[in-house]
Amino acid sequence: MQRRFCYFIMLALIGCDQVSIDFFDLGAFRVMALVVDQPEVDGSVNTTVTITPWISDIQAGGRSVALDILACPDPGIALGQEPTCDQSLASTQIVSYADFDTSVWAAQNYTGALPAFNVMIPAGLLVGLSSMQQFNGIDYIVSIVFTVGEDVISGFKRIKVSSNPAPNLNPKMERIDVNGSDTATAEDGAMVTYQIVPGFEAEDFQRFDQDGDLVDATEEYIVTWFVYSGTLSLSRSEPEDKAVFQDDQDNSDIPIIVGVLRDGRGGADVLVR
Amino acid sequence: MWLRLSCCSILFLSTFAFAKDDVMTPAEYLVQEVSDQRSEKKCSVAIKIVEKGTRVPLIDVSVFLLPDGEQAVTGENAIAFFSELACTEHTWVVNITGYKRVDIKKQVSADETFTVYVEKIETAVFETKVSDNRLQRDGSKRVLQQDEFIKAVGSRGDPVIALENMPGFDGFSDQGGGVILQGADPEDTRLYVNGHEVPLIFHSLGFSSIFIPDVIDSVDLLTAGFGAEYGRTTAGNINLTTASAKKDRLHAMAYVDLLNSAAVIQGPLDEEKKHSFWLGGRASYIGPVFNLVTQEDDNISFNQVPQFYDLEGSYQWEMNDRWTFDLLGFGAKDQLKLRIKDSEDPLFRGDVAFATNFFRLIPRLRYDDGDQNRFEISTAHGIDHLDQAFGDFFFDATLYAPSLRSEFEHRFSDQFAWIVGIDTMYTHFKADLRVPSGTFPNSEDQSVPPGLRDIIAKQIDVKYLDLGFYTRINAQDAKKRWLLSPNLRFDYAQLTDQAHLSPRIEITRTLSPVWKVRGATGLYYQTPQAPEVEQSFGNPDLEDVRSIHYALSAMVDTRKNSNHGFWGDVTVFYKSLDHVVIDTNDYVTRDGELVPERYSNDGKGYAVGSQWAMQFHTNRLTAGLAYTLLWSRRKEPGVGYQATDFERRHNFNLRARYQLGRWELSSRLRLISGAPDTPIVNAYYDLDNDVYYPVEGENNSQRLPIFMQWDVRVDRKWIYNKWILSLYVDILNVTNRTNGNQYEYEFDYSDRTIQGGIPILPTFGVKGEF
């Protein structure tokens, strides 16, 4: 009965739990972001996009990172399909990538951006779709398996392919302020606040809803914080939030804070502080 | 006394004065006359015999006057009358079987009335069971009476929680409001109050049912093979029957325990006791408990602590010796608000608000000529509200669902009866929602992190009718060895525009005064859930789910017409299901357009198992055992049979209660196989949404650890003349075992821990009643 399914809604809505998110504490190998230069491309032409992976491998730094990269149209992730590409299909691209030795990042504590790679998004993916579907766009995914020693992380990124004349752009972080200043630093034992300064406001955009109406919307920025040698009060925040940092007094290493700003539509930016 | 002394003095002196002569003076004669009259004065005594504590008047009991043993028996007014007694000190004795002996010594100087309170001996509760001369119907039904569920260990007195001790009742779903019967989805079970369906029978936060236990007369559990009186479900039903008001006098009850407090008042409204009522209310304070538990969690803060309330009342009118009318009203409210600062999915942070409230009014008219005919008609009216919000997501719904139930029974003889009835309801559902797709049951999207699903924003306004008619024949042979009960139900579901005839039959063979066997089979239909047939996110062409039940039982009852002895039953059951609604990625042409099908009726399933129930009762000891062995499987095209989410292979429940004077000790042990679980075999980091996307292994291919819980309860009663005080301590999970009900994974699914279940939970309560 309808009244009974309401309680399933409640369970579905509250998909959270009280487990602390240790994942955002840097130390072990982490993939923090994939930043593509064009989060949304014109589906009527072939487009080459450049993707930059951001990683961190502090505790076992100086290792070689291998990437296995596949790219293909979205297999139906929102419908429960595994977010990877079937290599046997002609529509799947295999992108070659040379292993990267993170020992060159010793000075930056083995945290930073890997060399970028290119993916060509073919034209014609929108053929056969309705004009509304073309405007809203479909996803072209890039699936990557990062292998570092025995650590393996599988990730994927979407690139929107549409006919939207105003494609999505990446958000921009001007800087990360410490205690409201761009020059201050976290001192041992001190409690400081971190806050990003966006380069511009979240974009306004349009999309067709399920009833076929063109509706206006605004992006919602979310900041993800990665931290090393200390604790942050928030793993995620909105731009106006301040994450309180407490230095780890048992660790003499220099704290590292990485902010990843996402716009909820595939755009991202990364800053390391 | 002074007069007597004076008279004696005068008499004495007169003796001397007139010693020479026996003739009395006039004064002497006067004194003698008064004295003679005085020695002949009689007194009457009326003794009312009442049970101590309950103040139940005891009729037909003997009171003896010592030493002669003159006897008087209490009449309808519980009074034993002694007349023509000398106005002096007397001794009476009241010595009733099952009660403590009472000796009364009293100086009687005038006609008087007094009350004697006799205390029941708790251990001598040998009760005579009066059997209804009506033919029993629906042998699948198991009933818990009030005195059973109020003292059931681990139940906190709740009638629905006490069903945990019944075979076939597998527990409560994680949603804290749904019940699981014989491995079926909670959505497949219907919940009723006095035969009318209600949206929930349990407060959403899962701590108690929506009624104060003292206003519930009994709770029925109907599983495989239930009769045509109920429909629109393939699993089973739970029905709460409210109690009639006590009419002898005004009564009141109030209790306080760790989680909530309640009070009930009831009694007659007029001197003739044709009108009576009961009224009760309950409020919770589990909020502070919640706050205490979560205060160290920086991620959660309560804007409004969890609370629930319920209010219920009933009015009854005995119009005459055949007609009665009653009006039942009840309502419940649950609410909470909290703020989640951070969670694994960045979309799920923000304010959470949850509130449900509903009420029902159920007027009912009944006729019983005490001979051949019985008739009853009742309707239910009310509104349900549900408001849920989580950040930008919300679901606000209003449901209006009036229902009608009516039944006529004609008994042609003691062996043959015919029953016909109506069971119909109308639903008007309105909702405004903005939710992630896959929120709805059976949807494959449920495996997708909510942040990755499409958003559905919609307003819904749906109206539909569920018509139901049924008929039953109960036929018994002259020797009452065979009871044949064919029954038929007709349903029309406007939501799917489908009509069904559901034949069912039940046969009972009495082998001896102790043994019976019963077989039942029948056809059952259930409409898909409304979201599954909704135009924009469902499949409007779905058909009703169908099930065939088979049940075979053997029953033994050595109690005869008492409550002492052994009784039990074993049942083997099988349910087949087809046209089960499943999620699909196929496309279909609808109205000339190629659209996603979303749901189809291509699923199949079955449930098979065995249930054992045994109970043993003596003066002091009651022991019971319930065991269920169960397979519950579903199948989709291209996939073999897999365990459902609710399949618990073994469910073992052992309990005992021992009475020691005013003390009662009880204990319960439950052992339940772990629930099926789907393992996470891989996970992908969604670098756009900053959430891990799990990849599930074979559906329900692993099991959670075994559930084991030992509960202990102690009751103590103090019986005063006019009221009773009770105290109980109920300790759930005495061993503090972690009985997790789900695995909790790390953010990146690299590790997991078992979560859920209650820790050791002592609760105590105090109850006063008169």
Side-chain angles (χ1 to χ4, degrees):
Chain A
M1 296 292 288
Q2 277 166 322
R3 57 200 122 183
R4 210 71 61 76
F5 95 93
C6 297
Y7 303 100
F8 283 96
I9 295 257
M10 188 63 196
L11 181 67
L13 286 178
I14 302 183
C16 65
D17 55 44
Q18 300 170 20
V19 176
S20 62
I21 310 175
D22 296 332
F23 179 82
F24 299 109
D25 293 337
L26 296 177
F29 175 69
R30 289 283 185 266
V31 176
M32 296 182 291
L34 285 179
V35 179
V36 62
D37 62 340
Q38 299 174 75
E40 187 168 2
V41 301
D42 183 355
S44 63
V45 296
N46 294 332
T47 307
T48 298
V49 297
T50 302
I51 299 174
T52 304
W54 286 78
I55 68 162
S56 175
D57 189 26
I58 298 173
Q59 287 172 348
R63 300 190 289 178
S64 177
V65 181
L67 275 65
D68 294 309
I69 306 170
L70 300 173
C72 62
D74 184 351
I77 297 171
L79 299 177
Q81 296 300 315
E82 197 165 331
T84 187
C85 299
D86 185 348
Q87 293 190 50
S88 65
L89 296 178
S91 57
T92 298
Q93 295 181 54
I94 301 174
V95 179
S96 59
Y97 191 89
D99 294 356
F100 180 79
D101 187 346
T102 61
S103 60
V104 301
W105 289 349
Q108 61 198 62
N109 220 344
Y110 310 104
T111 299
L114 292 174
F117 60 91
N118 294 332
V119 173
M120 198 279 292
I121 300 173
L125 293 175
L126 302 178
V127 172
L129 299 179
S130 68
S131 57
M132 285 190 299
Q133 288 172 318
Q134 292 188 18
F135 183 90
N136 285 346
I138 62 169
D139 291 326
Y140 194 84
I141 72 162
V142 178
S143 170
I144 308 177
V145 178
F146 296 81
T147 305
V148 181
E150 293 183 351
D151 297 322
V152 178
I153 291 179
S154 302
F156 68 98
K157 177 155 185 63
R158 301 174 186 78
I159 298 158
K160 188 70 73 178
V161 180
S162 73
S163 63
N164 191 337
N168 182 31
L169 301 174
N170 278 321
K172 172 79 178 156
M173 277 191 289
E174 282 294 331
R175 60 182 188 273
I176 297 177
D177 283 348
V178 179
N179 284 350
S181 162
D182 61 346
T183 55
T185 57
E187 299 174 2
D188 281 352
M191 284 179 66
V192 299
T193 62
Y194 283 87
Q195 183 180 21
I196 71 152
V197 177
F200 46 82
E201 295 293 316
E203 288 183 276
D204 295 325
F205 64 98
Q206 290 183 311
R207 60 177 175 83
F208 284 97
D209 66 11
Q210 288 194 333
D211 295 324
D213 299 322
L214 189 64
V215 296
D216 295 324
T218 304
E219 292 174 334
E220 291 185 18
Y221 282 169
I222 295 286
V223 182
T224 301
W225 298 100
F226 292 85
V227 59
Y228 177 70
S229 188
T231 56
L232 266 181
S233 61
L234 298 171
S235 297
R236 299 189 191 93
S237 68
E238 293 170 5
E240 56 269 23
D241 295 334
K242 293 177 182 176
V244 180
F245 174 78
Q246 171 68 61
D247 190 17
D248 184 357
Q249 298 187 23
D250 296 331
N251 188 338
S252 60
D253 293 345
I254 298 172
I256 296 177
I257 305 294
V258 180
V260 179
L261 175 64
R262 294 183 173 91
D263 63 7
R265 294 199 293 154
D269 191 21
V270 182
L271 268 185
V272 181
R273 182 73 192 264
Chain B
M1 182 178 112
W2 282 110
L3 183 58
R4 198 179 297 163
L5 185 60
S6 303
C7 291
C8 292
S9 301
I10 295 170
L11 187 62
F12 178 74
L13 291 172
S14 302
T15 304
F16 281 98
F18 301 102
K20 286 177 18 179
D21 195 345
D22 288 338
V23 175
M24 288 192 291
T25 68
E28 291 169 347
Y29 182 80
L30 185 63
V31 168
Q32 183 71 41
E33 189 72 18
V34 170
S35 176
D36 288 349
Q37 284 179 2
R38 189 151 188 83
S39 65
E40 291 175 0
K41 184 180 180 188
K42 301 298 180 186
C43 292
S44 298
V45 173
I47 305 175
K48 185 169 185 179
I49 308 298
V50 169
E51 184 175 291
K52 191 176 182 182
T54 64
R55 287 193 269 168
V56 172
L58 301 177
I59 62 175
D60 287 334
V61 298
S62 297
V63 181
F64 297 92
L65 175 66
L66 299 180
D68 299 328
E70 182 182 340
Q71 176 188 356
V73 178
T74 57
E76 289 292 323
N77 54 4
I79 291 178
F81 191 74
F82 293 87
S83 60
E84 300 295 313
L85 294 180
C87 300
T88 181
E89 185 178 272
H90 294 280
T91 301
W92 292 268
V93 62
V94 180
N95 191 11
I96 310 168
T97 303
Y99 291 82
K100 289 183 179 176
R101 172 185 169 130
V102 177
D103 293 89
I104 311 112
K105 187 177 286 188
K106 197 169 179 66
Q107 180 69 38
V108 178
S109 55
D111 295 346
E112 65 179 280
T113 301
F114 58 89
T115 301
V116 172
Y117 296 92
V118 289
E119 184 176 333
K120 196 170 186 178
I121 300 173
E122 296 287 336
T123 57
V125 285
F126 186 91
E127 294 166 5
T128 300
K129 197 169 63 172
V130 177
S131 301
D132 193 327
N133 60 1
R134 292 200 185 90
L135 297 173
Q136 184 185 7
R137 58 165 149 170
D138 208 331
S140 77
K141 183 163 66 176
R142 297 178 185 273
V143 183
L144 272 182
Q145 303 291 341
Q146 188 187 87
D147 59 345
E148 294 174 286
F149 61 69
I150 276 189
K151 287 188 178 174
V153 62
S155 73
R156 302 192 303 276
D158 190 275
V160 181
I161 298 178
L163 290 175
E164 286 178 338
N165 297 336
M166 293 285 199
F169 187 93
D170 297 333
F172 299 92
S173 67
D174 291 341
Q175 286 82 4
V179 296
I180 304 168
L181 301 185
Q182 292 177 330
D185 194 301
E187 283 297 319
D188 298 339
T189 297
R190 294 282 173 264
L191 308 172
Y192 295 87
V193 173
N194 288 358
H196 291 272
E197 190 169 349
V198 291
L200 50 84
I201 212 167
F202 222 63
H203 282 285
S204 300
L205 298 170
F207 282 90
S208 75
S209 59
I210 59 172
F211 282 94
I212 301 168
D214 298 72
V215 304
I216 297 298
D217 176 73
S218 61
V219 56
D220 304 334
L221 175 65
L222 297 101
T223 52
F226 61 86
E229 289 80 0
Y230 293 94
R232 299 190 284 270
T233 175
T234 56
N237 310 275
I238 293 175
N239 180 51
L240 293 178
T241 302
T242 55
S244 299
K246 296 176 183 174
K247 292 186 290 188
D248 54 329
R249 57 176 177 81
L250 191 67
H251 293 258
M253 181 283 300
Y255 76 78
V256 175
D257 69 23
L258 273 185
L259 299 179
N260 57 79
S261 298
V264 175
I265 184 169
Q266 59 179 308
L269 289 169
D270 62 328
E271 284 190 5
E272 292 179 355
K273 301 179 182 177
K274 295 287 188 184
H275 304 265
S276 55
F277 82 103
W278 56 255
L279 180 66
R282 173 168 54 179
S284 79
Y285 28 83
I286 60 174
V289 175
F290 261 63
N291 232 357
L292 214 62
V293 170
T294 58
Q295 67 181 1
E296 291 188 4
D297 189 325
D298 292 334
N299 275 339
I300 293 180
S301 63
F302 281 100
N303 298 343
Q304 178 177 334
V305 294
Q307 291 177 318
F308 71 75
Y309 309 93
D310 53 68
L311 185 66
E312 46 261 40
S314 173
Y315 161 75
Q316 290 135 52
W317 175 23
E318 274 186 33
M319 301 159 73
N320 53 46
D321 60 354
R322 293 188 177 192
W323 289 93
T324 57
F325 171 80
D326 61 83
L327 176 65
L328 172 69
F330 59 94
K333 181 174 182 176
D334 293 37
Q335 56 190 20
L336 77 87
K337 286 183 186 176
L338 56 90
R339 168 162 291 190
I340 295 173
K341 296 169 193 168
D342 204 355
S343 75
E344 288 189 347
D345 189 329
L347 281 182
F348 286 144
R349 54 203 291 271
D351 291 330
V352 180
F354 174 80
T356 64
N357 59 81
F358 79 96
F359 78 90
R360 287 291 183 277
L361 280 176
I362 304 179
R364 179 171 60 180
L365 184 66
R366 288 184 283 183
Y367 172 85
D368 190 343
D369 64 6
D371 183 20
Q372 288 184 312
N373 299 298
R374 187 182 60 80
F375 169 76
E376 174 174 325
I377 184 167
S378 62
T379 65
H381 309 267
I383 296 178
D384 310 337
H385 287 291
L386 170 69
D387 296 311
Q388 302 182 65
F390 194 154
D392 290 336
F393 298 117
F394 60 87
F395 186 94
D396 298 329
T398 300
L399 182 73
Y400 174 60
S403 57
L404 167 70
R405 183 177 278 273
S406 182
E407 186 173 282
F408 172 72
E409 178 183 0
H410 181 72
R411 293 189 293 278
F412 294 89
S413 68
D414 283 346
Q415 283 84 44
F416 190 83
W418 172 59
I419 298 160
V420 61
I422 301 172
D423 170 27
T424 290
M425 74 188 286
Y426 171 79
T427 301
H428 182 191
F429 178 78
K430 296 171 68 173
D432 189 7
L433 58 95
R434 183 177 185 276
V435 298
S437 72
T439 301
F440 311 117
N442 297 323
S443 170
E444 197 166 288
D445 283 3
Q446 288 187 328
S447 65
V448 177
L452 304 184
R453 303 178 200 165
D454 294 332
I455 304 298
I456 297 174
K458 197 166 178 63
Q459 291 181 331
I460 301 172
D461 192 331
V462 179
K463 301 174 187 177
Y464 54 91
L465 180 67
D466 286 300
L467 279 176
F469 301 92
Y470 63 88
T471 185
R472 176 192 284 268
I473 290 173
N474 280 344
Q476 198 171 41
D477 65 318
K479 292 186 179 178
K480 297 188 180 180
R481 288 179 187 165
W482 290 93
L483 174 60
L484 180 69
S485 185
N487 48 108
L488 180 69
R489 184 178 174 99
F490 169 80
D491 284 292
Y492 170 71
Q494 190 177 15
L495 194 63
T496 52
D497 194 24
Q498 290 202 301
H500 306 288
L501 273 178
S502 304
R504 303 170 192 175
I505 189 166
E506 188 179 325
I507 302 174
T508 305
R509 171 76 161 100
T510 301
L511 300 173
S512 73
V514 172
W515 284 96
K516 281 184 189 177
V517 291
R518 170 184 171 266
T521 184
L523 194 56
Y524 301 81
Y525 289 91
Q526 179 174 330
T527 310
Q529 298 175 53
E532 294 169 338
V533 298
E534 206 277 336
Q535 186 77 26
S536 55
F537 46 77
N539 177 0
D541 297 329
L542 280 179
E543 297 179 348
D544 295 344
V545 181
R546 183 178 65 181
S547 178
I548 302 176
H549 292 191
Y550 306 89
L552 191 62
S553 305
M555 295 153 282
V556 58
D557 191 341
T558 65
R559 293 171 297 173
K560 296 182 182 176
N561 288 329
S562 75
N563 63 341
H564 282 200
F566 170 83
W567 68 100
D569 65 84
V570 56
T571 300
V572 176
F573 65 89
Y574 176 79
K575 301 178 189 174
S576 69
L577 292 106
D578 57 70
H579 289 77
V580 175
V581 176
I582 58 171
D583 186 79
T584 176
N585 294 329
D586 292 342
Y587 279 75
V588 292
T589 301
R590 194 175 295 141
D591 299 329
E593 190 180 344
L594 193 66
V595 294
E597 188 179 19
R598 298 195 186 93
Y599 298 102
S600 74
N601 284 111
D602 294 334
K604 293 182 187 298
Y606 67 86
V608 61
S610 176
Q611 298 175 184
W612 300 69
M614 293 168 220
Q615 193 147 324
F616 177 74
H617 186 54
T618 65
N619 280 348
R620 292 178 184 270
L621 176 68
T622 300
L625 179 143
Y627 170 70
T628 304
L629 175 67
L630 174 73
W631 284 263
S632 174
R633 299 292 164 107
R634 295 291 181 271
K635 177 183 175 181
E636 298 181 11
V639 180
Y641 278 104
Q642 297 173 332
T644 66
D645 294 344
F646 310 101
E647 181 192 85
R648 311 292 284 267
R649 179 78 68 252
H650 306 281
N651 189 332
F652 177 81
N653 179 308
L654 179 66
R655 60 202 181 277
R657 191 168 76 219
Y658 187 79
Q659 195 151 357
L660 196 63
R662 302 264 181 93
W663 292 90
E664 203 166 273
L665 313 172
S666 46
S667 186
R668 177 180 72 172
L669 175 68
R670 287 194 297 159
L671 284 167
I672 308 174
S673 301
D677 183 70
T678 301
I680 304 296
V681 296
N682 199 358
Y684 293 84
Y685 191 17
D686 181 344
L687 287 147
D688 291 316
N689 295 294
D690 190 20
V691 64
Y692 259 82
Y693 186 100
V695 177
E696 294 180 332
E698 186 181 344
N699 188 46
N700 287 339
S701 57
Q702 68 180 15
R703 294 272 172 173
L704 293 172
I706 291 175
F707 174 99
M708 191 200 83
Q709 183 167 310
W710 179 32
D711 309 318
V712 172
R713 179 182 172 118
V714 178
D715 289 85
R716 174 66 161 97
K717 193 179 285 189
W718 289 267
I719 302 176
Y720 303 99
N721 281 348
K722 296 186 179 180
W723 68 293
I724 299 171
L725 176 69
S726 305
L727 173 72
Y728 76 85
V729 176
D730 201 341
I731 306 175
L732 302 180
N733 196 10
V734 172
T735 59
N736 197 26
R737 177 186 166 91
T738 300
N739 286 312
N741 51 23
Q742 63 179 12
Y743 281 115
E744 202 63 52
Y745 288 87
E746 294 291 331
F747 175 76
D748 58 356
Y749 295 89
S750 59
D751 199 4
R752 68 183 189 183
T753 54
I754 194 78
Q755 295 284 335
I758 57 166
I760 181 170
L761 182 64
T763 62
F764 67 88
V766 177
K767 177 178 175 179
E769 56 188 318
F770 69 86

